[in-house]
Amino acid sequence: MAIQDDIKSAIAEVLPGLSCVIGWGAGPEPLRAAPLFMRDAADVEKFTAGFLAVNNPALFLPALKGAKVGLVVKGCDARSVGQLVAENLVKREEVHLIGYPCRGIIDMDKTAAALEGRCEPGEVKGLREEDGDIVLDTPGGEVRLAKTDVAADKCARCRYPNAESADVFVGEKIAPVVERDDYADLAAFENMELDARKAFWEMEMSRCIRCYACRNSCPLCVCRDHCVAASREPHWLTQADGVRDKLFFQLIHATHLAGRCTGCGECERACPVGIPLLTLKRAFSRQVEGLFGYTAGLDQGMPPLLTFKLEEPAIKEREW
Amino acid sequence: MRIGVFICHCGSNIAGTVDCASVASVASTYPDVAYATDIMYACAEPGQDAIIAAIKEHRLTGVVVASCTPRMHEPTFRKTVERAGLNRYMFEMANIREHVSWIGKDMEANTNKASELVRMAVSKLRLNRELKPKSFPVTKRLLVVGGGVAGIQAALDAADAGLEVLMVEKQPTIGGKMAKLDKTFPTVDCSSCILGPRMVDVAQHPNITLYAYSEVESISGYVGNFDVKIRKKAAYVDWSKCTGCGLCTEKCPSKKSYDRFNEGVGPTTAIIIPFPQAIPKKASIEREYCRQFNTGKCGVCAKVCPTGAINYEMQDEFIDAKVGGIVAATGYDLMDWTVYQEYGGGRYPDVVTSLQYERMLSASGPTGGHIKRPSDGEEPKDVVFIQCVGSRDVSIGRPYCSGFCCMYTAKQAILTKDHIPDSHSYVFYMDIRSPGKGYDEFTRRVQEEYQARYIRGRVSMVYPKGKKLIVRGADTLMGTQVEVEADLVVLAVGAEAAKGAPHLAEKLRISYDSYGFFMEGHPKLRPVETNTAGVFLAGACQGLKDIPSSVAQGSAAAAKALALLSRDMLDSDPQIAAVNVNRCVGCRKCIEVCPFKAIQEIDLRGQPKAEVIETVCQGCGLCNATCPQGAIQLSHFTDNQLLAEVEALCRF
Amino acid sequence: MSVLKEKELRVIGFLCNWCSYGGADTAGVGRFAQPTDLRIVRVPCSGRINPLFVLKALLGGADGVLVSGCHPRDCHYAEGNFYARRRLEVLKGFLPVLGIDPRRFEYTWVSASEGQRWQHVVTTFTANIHALGPASFSPEARELQILNAAAR
């Protein structure tokens, strides 16, 4: 793939001035890539981009503060970096961003569903992209899937495929998939009655195993080892294995991300039991965008809940 | 922990609608409660002694008193538990009077609610920690905002006691409304004769610095150490050179300026000295009337000034000052009476306000003390006074009584007779409100000795007929219509808080009511304090009052300020934020939101951490609500304490 | 401790000490009768109120939560209520996604002098909550029901 080689050259060019460059390399299975920390030319050879470049490399930035790090970024990854920079959690001059036009990434749950009855995703031996389709090499022969059927939800509403803030951009920029995020997914969710939504979350959260993969994969969760979920001072959460505490943890996560979440969806992807966690975060994002016109990861300055205006024209307060 | 719970009857105030004994018995079942009882008056001496005795007898380590609002007696009971050897913060109150017994009559619901409020208090108290104040030095300087009689009194009292005082007055002269009055009731003393010397005292006092024609631009800081920025407005006259000779005001060719001091009774010049006894006696230019500013051509004052004090290029100046306490004494203004179309809405020149009438009565006023009709300069013979114009009138949103109008109207009727012996005064009134020493006697004298005709009833309309004004009203005592042919009508216009008062309140971070009057700390017991430590109130800015009450409040505010500033060190409130450095990730969000810049970033073994500057933190807790990992906690209102209260109420 | 059955619903208020708590006191001093449902948590400033307290209360079985602070520009701490306004407005719009009727949560501004306004706010809010009825969002309660049913 030509673009992959171009990215590799771009990495090789800047690597000497950086402590490392983070991208993607081979994972445990052919369909799963993994984050790749490149420190020398041999590492760069392992680099792979494209449909399997799922993980958000911005996740690693706060922990690497103090050293200049290179990042190969999709548009959505770049937004996470942008938000970390806007909040002064990461210094922009300590990051070198290599962008490329992202044409979507794989959703493993959808792929597994599409392969249902044919093979397990783990049995797939290889993958190639062809005319906008994904061709899988399975034990029973090639399986051709429409890319849109197996790409992540966020890719269908991608407004920023091009990592506009990149220091180096490899390849030609492509058009956004949509012009604006109409939150149609939330609207669809809200077709349910209030009581049905409650029941939905009760059922979903009952499956939560409190593994905190959602938190650990979130690039903006910078509390890390100091998360309130593991604290008695303050003691917001008990260790009780109940739905209330499980849901409340998600509400903590969502409130902490209100106005900060860029919608990268890593929380939801990381969830081993498939709880649609991004819905909660997107509900906050829709509010914040509507009220304050702030788009996390693109706008400069502090997120709207860490600042204020004397007059808030968009806030219609209740008259008593 | 061993908690003692005391349920106060407050006589029948609480016990009337709350079963206090039953609340105590329920409370005794709450976790860690070692002792619970009901008590007749917890705040009275026997009540406090009983609490102290119980602390000792039952070895209590924390106390809950369920009684009135903590805004009232929390300090009282904190001292009580301290006397018994406990830390004052090992105490909580449940407000079962203002929030329970006084707002509902359902005994069952009230008793249940009181029990729950006690449960909340106990739950929180279990997580209370002993807190110790730190001390910090005090700036021994007082700011007095407003140079009316209340502010003057406060400034002089404080300065006489040795305190350095800054006085800021918005007008070019101090004296306030009292300086505009001709005489005062009920003694009919000459107003400027009694106020004038006090104004001079302000000017000459070695401890007082006067900033006239100045306003408070901004205030930051906190009790003991406020940082004040004063805007000295450009007078276009260098006051260090101006001798107050008045030559400029004589020669100024622009003679049609609105005369603010004289309430527009007759015009004045563009460069003015407000009145002969003005303090400071300095000229200032009213820019909107000045030919030099409007046409670029004139410069007469600059030419005639013997000291070269005129400076058309002058800019506003800013002065930064540090003060330990602030007295707000911004007084009142008259409401806009022209909403009353029935009195002409300002269309008839011979309908004047009471303050305009004062200026006509004053020998140093624009008419030289001669009462003249503004329309033709003739001496009026029949003068009608209409009271409660903008007072006690719900229909225009002024439900309150302005308090002093009945008395000054009586005074003005007396003065009218003194000035024009063959005149007749008519006073339309709603009620005569004259509580005060010698006040009621005074309102009788005006009727009996001075033959003023008092008519109880409202005036429905005033309209011109030839040279006269017909005043038509009701006499509700006689049950008849009354019509008086008047030469002059004087409106006792109701007062409201001074224009801009809410704006100052916002700078001072004090509360004000819907009419702009500043809120006192407690209507009975803290009449000159506010809920912002170090800010005191004097005079009509707190609520309308007459001169003696304003003077008394001025002295009271000075006494409070002196009590505060006589100390070298103040105790800081320990209910402030504290950082757990082990949990802090140095994300700076707390620093970002703190309104007081009370949090700074420090370097702890190479890691950035937040640190609270203890004497600057005001304890709002915004940082606490902002910190995602809860590393910064507001002492006494920690997440855990508030969660305990919420959980005490949760059903599941 | 539970609410009075048939009479009350669980209504929790978070009030800033300087304005709204004072306003509630003023209402009490004025003997302005109010429904008995409300339980007030006193906080120094509306800016102290983490929206999570509201969520905690709503998940814990509160039928309604009311937050009240100083009017904008009148904050005792200068800016706290400006932050509160943003955070609470965002929270209010978020609640429906959880299946919580946003009318179960209100925030407003009441000054220490506004006893009558406080009476009006409490009376109106409590009436609204009664109109909505008891909140059914009680995940824990549902689990308890299931456990109890299993035990029987």
Side-chain angles (χ1 to χ4, degrees):
Chain A
M1 217 156 61
I3 187 137
Q4 182 143 323
D5 293 334
D6 292 347
I7 300 173
K8 281 183 188 173
S9 317
I11 297 170
E13 200 173 309
V14 293
L15 189 55
L18 302 170
S19 67
C20 71
V21 174
I22 309 171
W24 306 271
E29 301 165 358
L31 279 189
R32 290 183 200 270
L36 175 70
F37 289 71
M38 292 167 272
R39 293 192 172 77
D40 55 31
D43 291 337
V44 176
E45 277 314 303
K46 299 177 195 159
F47 175 82
T48 165
F51 201 53
L52 299 183
V54 169
N55 299 62
N56 184 343
L59 175 68
F60 307 103
L61 275 182
L64 296 170
K65 227 172 160 180
K68 181 145 185 173
V69 180
L71 240 54
V72 186
V73 285
K74 310 184 287 290
C76 45
D77 304 334
R79 281 181 67 186
S80 300
V81 176
Q83 188 61 26
L84 289 166
V85 169
E87 296 178 30
N88 298 315
L89 294 167
V90 164
K91 291 198 180 93
R92 181 64 183 87
E93 63 272 19
E94 287 185 355
V95 190
H96 185 85
L97 295 181
I98 301 164
Y100 70 97
C102 172
R103 295 166 196 278
I105 55 162
I106 191 168
D107 181 308
M108 284 304 285
D109 291 339
K110 289 184 190 171
T111 309
L115 289 172
E116 183 85 54
R118 283 188 265 220
C119 72
E120 292 293 319
E123 293 170 319
V124 174
K125 283 177 263 173
L127 163 150
R128 69 173 195 278
E129 294 183 47
E130 205 177 273
D131 305 330
D133 287 339
I134 301 296
V135 181
L136 300 177
D137 182 10
T138 73
E142 283 196 349
V143 175
R144 178 177 284 263
L145 300 170
K147 195 170 178 179
T148 45
D149 290 343
V150 290
D153 287 346
K154 67 172 174 180
C155 302
R157 53 174 179 260
C158 182
R159 284 177 287 173
Y160 310 101
N162 292 322
E164 300 291 347
S165 58
D167 299 286
V168 178
F169 195 84
V170 180
E172 293 289 314
K173 290 194 176 174
I174 55 173
V177 179
V178 294
E179 286 303 321
R180 52 180 284 273
D181 187 349
D182 55 8
Y183 290 95
D185 52 329
L186 278 187
F189 180 83
E190 283 161 352
N191 281 333
M192 278 196 277
E193 295 293 321
L194 286 175
D195 282 339
R197 295 181 216 172
K198 283 177 197 167
F200 175 85
W201 289 116
E202 283 168 11
M203 196 184 76
E204 289 294 321
M205 294 316 301
S206 69
R207 293 188 285 119
C208 169
I209 55 171
R210 289 184 84 159
C211 67
Y212 297 126
C214 47
R215 174 192 76 193
N216 296 347
S217 61
C218 175
L220 287 162
C221 260
V222 293
C223 305
R224 299 288 150 93
D225 298 343
H226 303 296
C227 176
V228 282
S231 161
R232 281 167 191 262
E233 193 71 56
H235 200 187
W236 283 94
L237 282 179
T238 71
Q239 299 308 305
D241 184 32
V243 171
R244 179 160 74 126
D245 278 20
K246 291 171 179 176
L247 178 58
F248 196 68
F249 173 73
Q250 291 308 329
L251 299 181
I252 292 175
H253 192 183
T255 12
H256 286 178
L257 283 168
R260 305 174 61 227
C261 176
T262 63
C264 76
E266 287 289 87
C267 49
E268 192 167 303
R269 181 188 65 81
C271 179
V273 295
I275 301 172
L277 298 170
L278 191 58
T279 305
L280 296 174
K281 282 139 203 164
R282 279 174 58 75
F284 270 127
S285 298
R286 181 177 61 181
Q287 276 285 102
V288 167
E289 281 181 32
L291 288 170
F292 311 115
Y294 182 92
T295 311
L298 295 173
D299 288 342
Q300 302 298 310
M302 277 289 151
L305 298 191
L306 294 178
T307 178
F308 66 88
K309 281 192 185 138
L310 294 183
E311 304 292 337
E312 301 276 11
I315 297 183
K316 300 277 175 280
E317 279 170 28
R318 188 197 155 102
E319 298 290 328
W320 288 88
Chain B
M1 195 165 183
R2 295 179 60 81
I3 294 174
V5 178
F6 301 85
I7 315 295
C8 179
H9 289 225
C10 195
S12 63
N13 279 307
I14 294 170
T17 57
V18 174
D19 180 351
C20 296
S22 134
V23 175
S25 108
V26 173
S28 66
T29 66
Y30 294 156
D32 287 349
V33 172
Y35 177 72
T37 186
D38 52 324
I39 190 165
M40 187 48 105
Y41 283 106
C43 62
E45 198 182 5
Q48 295 195 40
D49 288 347
I51 293 170
I52 292 170
I55 291 172
K56 292 186 173 150
E57 189 189 336
H58 299 280
R59 292 173 288 110
L60 302 176
T61 54
V63 168
V64 169
V65 172
S67 58
C68 50
T69 170
R71 284 162 54 95
M72 172 92 180
H73 274 320
E74 192 173 62
T76 312
F77 292 119
R78 278 181 175 169
K79 279 186 206 145
T80 309
V81 302
E82 211 164 41
R83 288 215 304 280
L86 299 187
N87 181 279
R88 60 197 338 227
Y89 293 97
M90 301 309 285
F91 169 76
E92 283 298 325
M93 262 179 111
N95 183 347
I96 62 168
R97 194 178 73 174
E98 283 83 346
H99 292 188
V100 181
S101 70
W102 277 353
I103 57 168
K105 293 197 165 64
D106 181 334
M107 188 92 164
E108 185 196 12
N110 280 1
T111 304
N112 180 57
K113 180 173 178 181
S115 305
E116 286 201 17
L117 296 188
V118 171
R119 184 191 184 88
M120 288 166 71
V122 168
S123 303
K124 174 168 187 282
L125 177 61
R126 294 175 75 206
L127 299 171
N128 282 18
R129 296 280 173 271
E130 296 192 358
L131 301 176
K132 300 235 158 52
K134 295 231 162 47
S135 52
F136 61 91
V138 174
T139 305
K140 291 175 178 275
R141 194 177 294 125
L142 181 66
L143 171 70
V144 176
V145 186
V149 68
I152 288 173
Q153 184 73 19
L156 288 174
D157 281 5
D160 284 346
L163 209 57
E164 215 183 303
V165 177
L166 308 181
M167 176 180 275
V168 174
E169 166 57 52
K170 145 168 102 166
Q171 303 296 336
T173 174
I174 60 170
K177 294 289 184 294
M178 188 176 170
K180 301 190 181 199
L181 306 182
D182 177 39
K183 302 282 193 300
T184 60
F185 59 77
T187 49
V188 202
D189 269 341
C190 159
S191 186
S192 62
C193 309
I194 53 179
L195 181 67
R198 315 236 61 192
M199 291 164 61
V200 174
D201 287 348
V202 168
Q204 295 182 344
H205 205 295
N207 287 347
I208 300 180
T209 310
L210 173 60
Y211 295 102
Y213 208 38
S214 300
E215 288 186 45
V216 173
E217 181 76 6
S218 64
I219 299 169
S220 59
Y222 48 94
V223 58
N225 296 287
F226 291 102
D227 293 299
V228 182
K229 192 185 273 299
I230 298 165
R231 176 195 286 269
K232 212 165 175 306
K233 294 183 278 189
Y236 307 106
V237 178
D238 183 345
W239 282 7
S240 65
K241 293 181 185 161
C242 177
T243 61
C245 70
L247 208 54
C248 52
T249 65
E250 284 166 30
K251 302 290 182 200
C252 176
S254 168
K255 299 207 187 290
K256 292 210 169 124
S257 312
Y258 181 81
D259 190 344
R260 233 178 280 280
F261 183 78
N262 286 312
E263 298 283 321
V265 179
T268 188
T269 46
I271 187 163
I272 49 154
I273 295 173
F275 59 107
Q277 301 93 334
I279 297 286
K281 196 171 180 191
K282 305 285 180 188
S284 53
I285 294 176
E286 296 255 359
R287 202 182 156 124
E288 56 173 316
Y289 303 110
C290 174
R291 290 191 186 177
Q292 180 69 31
F293 281 110
N294 289 325
T295 66
K297 280 185 281 208
C298 181
V300 170
C301 50
K303 281 178 209 129
V304 301
C305 178
T307 62
I310 310 295
N311 174 6
Y312 300 119
E313 306 300 316
M314 197 179 241
Q315 299 288 324
D316 290 1
E317 238 182 276
F318 292 95
I319 294 135
D320 291 308
K322 214 169 176 64
V323 299
I326 300 172
V327 173
T330 50
Y332 69 93
D333 274 317
L334 295 189
M335 59 88 65
D336 176 15
W337 71 272
T338 57
V339 296
Y340 285 98
Q341 288 302 318
E342 58 266 47
Y343 305 148
R347 290 190 305 279
Y348 312 136
D350 295 335
V351 177
V352 301
T353 70
S354 45
L355 260 185
Q356 289 173 326
Y357 198 57
E358 287 288 339
R359 294 314 301 149
M360 287 188 201
L361 293 167
S362 170
S364 62
T367 59
H370 299 293
I371 305 173
K372 289 178 181 170
R373 284 156 49 99
S375 60
D376 53 15
E378 280 179 24
E379 194 177 71
K381 297 296 176 199
D382 293 299
V383 181
V384 170
F385 295 89
I386 304 176
Q387 296 219 234
C388 298
V389 178
S391 297
R392 303 177 65 197
D393 189 347
V394 180
S395 71
I396 58 147
R398 300 276 155 182
Y400 59 85
C401 170
S402 294
F404 40 53
C405 321
C406 287
M407 293 305 298
Y408 73 61
T409 300
K411 174 198 73 183
Q412 290 178 342
I414 287 177
L415 293 174
T416 305
K417 197 78 176 171
D418 282 346
H419 280 248
I420 312 169
D422 60 342
S423 67
H424 303 283
S425 290
Y426 302 83
V427 178
F428 284 89
Y429 71 101
M430 284 165 67
D431 296 291
I432 299 174
R433 299 198 159 173
S434 53
K437 209 171 177 178
Y439 283 16
D440 206 56
E441 298 91 313
F442 188 70
T443 61
R444 284 188 179 282
R445 256 178 72 204
V446 63
Q447 297 174 62
E448 289 161 8
E449 262 179 60
Y450 289 84
Q451 286 95 41
R453 194 176 149 206
Y454 268 62
I455 303 156
R456 188 176 194 277
R458 299 290 285 169
V459 170
S460 58
M461 125 183 258
V462 176
Y463 62 95
K465 186 178 168 193
K467 283 177 69 177
K468 294 265 186 182
L469 288 163
I470 307 297
V471 180
R472 182 186 291 166
D475 184 333
T476 55
L477 295 181
M478 301 296 289
T480 55
Q481 283 262 349
V482 189
E483 267 192 13
V484 181
E485 288 197 5
D487 298 309
L488 187 69
V489 175
V490 181
L491 306 179
V493 177
E496 61 187 19
K499 286 174 187 60
H503 210 55
L504 180 69
E506 286 158 17
K507 290 176 187 167
L508 290 167
R509 301 194 297 272
I510 60 175
S511 308
Y512 55 93
D513 66 18
S514 48
Y515 311 105
F517 294 114
F518 301 151
M519 285 281 290
E520 62 277 15
H522 186 277
K524 306 284 175 217
L525 298 177
R526 284 156 52 83
V528 298
E529 290 116 307
T530 65
N531 282 323
T532 297
V535 178
F536 308 100
L537 305 177
C541 65
Q542 175 263 338
L544 296 171
K545 51 183 66 67
D546 61 8
I547 293 165
S549 300
S550 295
V551 170
Q553 248 192 357
S555 286
K560 286 291 171 190
L562 283 164
L564 174 74
L565 301 179
S566 61
R567 285 186 277 174
D568 295 325
M569 302 290 278
L570 282 180
D571 278 349
S572 67
D573 188 335
Q575 299 172 89
I576 55 170
V579 178
N580 176 350
V581 288
N582 293 325
R583 295 190 52 74
C584 175
V585 299
C587 73
R588 299 181 57 95
K589 290 187 169 60
C590 53
I591 299 175
E592 191 67 35
V593 299
C594 177
F596 306 100
K597 300 189 174 57
I599 310 174
Q600 60 192 5
E601 186 178 304
I602 55 159
D603 182 287
L604 188 80
R605 294 186 289 275
Q607 296 291 316
K609 300 284 179 186
E611 185 179 76
V612 176
I613 309 164
E614 293 185 357
T615 50
V616 181
C617 175
Q618 296 299 291
C620 68
L622 186 54
C623 53
N624 195 164
T626 303
C627 178
Q629 66 273 22
I632 190 162
Q633 291 286 326
L634 177 63
S635 302
H636 213 61
F637 291 95
T638 63
D639 285 346
N640 282 1
Q641 286 171 317
L642 298 181
L643 283 170
E645 290 190 76
V646 171
E647 271 158 19
L649 294 171
C650 283
R651 289 187 294 190
F652 312 111
Chain C
M1 183 58 51
S2 62
V3 294
L4 281 183
K5 285 207 171 54
E6 309 293 322
K7 265 188 184 173
E8 287 180 349
L9 289 174
R10 174 55 78 223
V11 182
I12 301 180
F14 294 91
L15 272 63
C16 84
N17 177 57
W18 303 101
C19 292
S20 294
Y21 197 93
D25 285 349
T26 305
V29 172
R31 311 298 198 276
F32 298 146
Q34 295 155 48
T36 53
D37 309 51
L38 178 73
R39 309 286 183 264
I40 293 172
V41 177
R42 182 168 70 127
V43 292
C45 177
S46 54
R48 171 68 188 89
I49 299 162
N50 189 329
L52 288 168
F53 286 123
V54 178
L55 287 166
K56 191 85 179 175
L58 289 170
L59 257 57
D63 302 306
V65 176
L66 177 64
V67 169
S68 188
C70 304
H71 288 276
R73 291 173 189 271
D74 293 352
C75 178
H76 183 76
Y77 301 101
E79 296 175 356
N81 53 1
F82 288 128
Y83 288 94
R85 177 166 63 184
R86 287 195 157 199
R87 294 170 184 186
L88 298 171
E89 178 69 18
V90 166
L91 174 72
K92 192 167 166 63
F94 172 76
L95 293 177
V97 166
L98 293 177
I100 297 174
D101 193 314
R103 291 172 294 180
R104 292 194 184 276
F105 166 67
E106 296 285 359
Y107 69 97
T108 188
W109 321 116
V110 174
S111 82
S113 67
E114 293 176 320
Q116 265 174 317
R117 178 176 161 86
W118 177 250
Q119 176 192 36
H120 175 68
V121 166
V122 174
T123 309
T124 310
F125 184 68
T126 310
N128 290 351
I129 298 305
H130 276 268
L132 289 169
S136 59
F137 200 34
S138 48
E140 226 69 355
R142 182 161 311 195
E143 287 199 333
L144 281 176
Q145 275 172 13
I146 297 165
L147 286 174
N148 287 341
R152 242 179 260 129

